[in-house]
Amino acid sequence: MSPASHPPAVAPRVPEAVHRRRWAILAVLMLSLLIVVLDNSILNVAVKTIAAPEPTGLGATQSELEWAINSYTLVFAGILFTAGLLGDRIGRKKVLLFGILVFAAGSALAAFSSSPGQLIAWRALMGFGAAFVMPATLAVLMNVFERDEQPKAIGIWAGGVGLAIAIGPITGGLLLEHFWWGSIFLVNVPVGLVALVAMVVLVPDSRDPKPGRLDPAGVALSVVGLVLLVYGIIRGGELADFTESTVLAPIAGGLVVLALFVVHEKRSSHPALDISSFRKPAFSAAVAAIALVFFALMGVTFFSAFYLQSVRGYTALQSGLLMLPLAAAQMVFSPRARHVVTRFGAKAVCTAGLLLVAGGLAAFGTFDAGTPVWVLCLVFFVQGTGMAHIMPPVTVAVMQALPREKAGSGSAINNTFRQVGGALGVAVLGSVLSAAYRGDIEGHLGAVPAGARDVAGESIEATLGVAAKLGPAGKPLAAAANDAFLGAMHLTAVTSAGVALIGAVVVALFLPGRAPAPDAPAGREASPEPAGRAG
């Protein structure tokens, strides 16, 4: 065969010793990913327990529960840029070990929180640690697999998210049935220690030989902008009025600061976020798909816990088991999504995935207190199938758009938009739910003492708590609470489905279609197998 048949670009770039243990390294990376994702999926089944009065829970309000989720997410998203750059600069293994240590410490402190405020603070610390873990796992993956195996590895990595989604609610349910609510955080500590030991032994270090400088001004602007924006949205949900000055001022301020962030990044010689990457339509469409699908899904996950436990009366463990179809679909289909993409193209596969997600979300708009369990399971399976055909191809599109040396930055972009989308989803959809619920239930609070009406109208858990104290006289109020929640859930579900449909349109317009057959030399990217490598 002529030398032209093997261009120099296809030469293997991963050392042979690392290549041989690449699958063991991937398993360790997935364990690290597991504790970060598992914590959020555990929290989803525990929100009802944490909302319960002491000593069962912390008596957290709806807005405090949203902040327990969003304090983690906002800190996570705000410093992901810097965490990714630090990994590229000083070594991904080092920041991965540091992140897991901080995450485990934050988990231990969160487990023993004595107030919602403390829980919010320690969740923020956990988000700080997670910001160093998540991008490092994907960056290491990109540096231990050759390009032809990266889609398969990313598919398995995405399937690991499905595994965590499955383990989280079930683990949380089991822990809540036998221990106090804090055990859902304490479980992260032993898992983190196992991951630490395995990483020290197996994971190689890697870095960018020409790293960029840090961008503290950009990081500060992104954090301030996101916090102001999400605070305003949550405040609007609390007041059931988005025209109040205390709502409009932080929202407007957040948008202005985020606009300044974009201007700063464009002008900076060492931006935390390389804005020029977004000039590529495929890159922008992939990032938008990530943000929109998590916007829709995180909001639904937040209210589905209340639907399953408060309206349907399921235990935390039963609620966790009902999420199994969603997780199973992701675990089964995510590693295989690359084959479907090869046959039909990323545009068709991701568009179909987003339409499946939108259909599953819209189905929530038809659920009531007597919807058969098999229907719930089917809808969760459809949602999981859609997710499995969205996340791997869009992650591949983002990561392979950048050089291997910039894997930390690419992973930071991927995860930042996922987390920001999720944070805004919880904030916006949680606020829609809260505002709609409050507007409906207020007319049924006549029998509630005047001093308790504001609290009773804030969430279904608060209303049911007051109804229980009223004894037999509280039964009509409990029935009204269920009806009001279902009405609010239906509105929120339709809104979520609309967001997913917007994502489908964006992907259909801008994501590339089926790749042409490699009938012409295309360098390393078209090579089916790196030269000189077996197995």
Side-chain angles (χ1 to χ4, degrees), residues 7-11 13 146-148 402-404 521-530:
V10 301
R13 301 180 61 192
E146 296 290 1
R147 190 177 181 90
D148 68 300
L402 300 173
R404 188 194 295 260
R524 180 184 64 210
E525 297 175 11
S527 173
E529 189 71 33

Side-chain angles (χ1 to χ4, degrees), residues 295-321:
F295 179 101
L297 279 171
M298 284 297 290
V300 170
T301 303
F302 181 74
F303 71 64
S304 65
F306 289 100
Y307 167 69
L308 293 172
Q309 296 180 48
S310 299
V311 176
R312 300 299 296 264
Y314 295 127
T315 65
L317 177 58
Q318 289 170 332
S319 297
L321 290 171

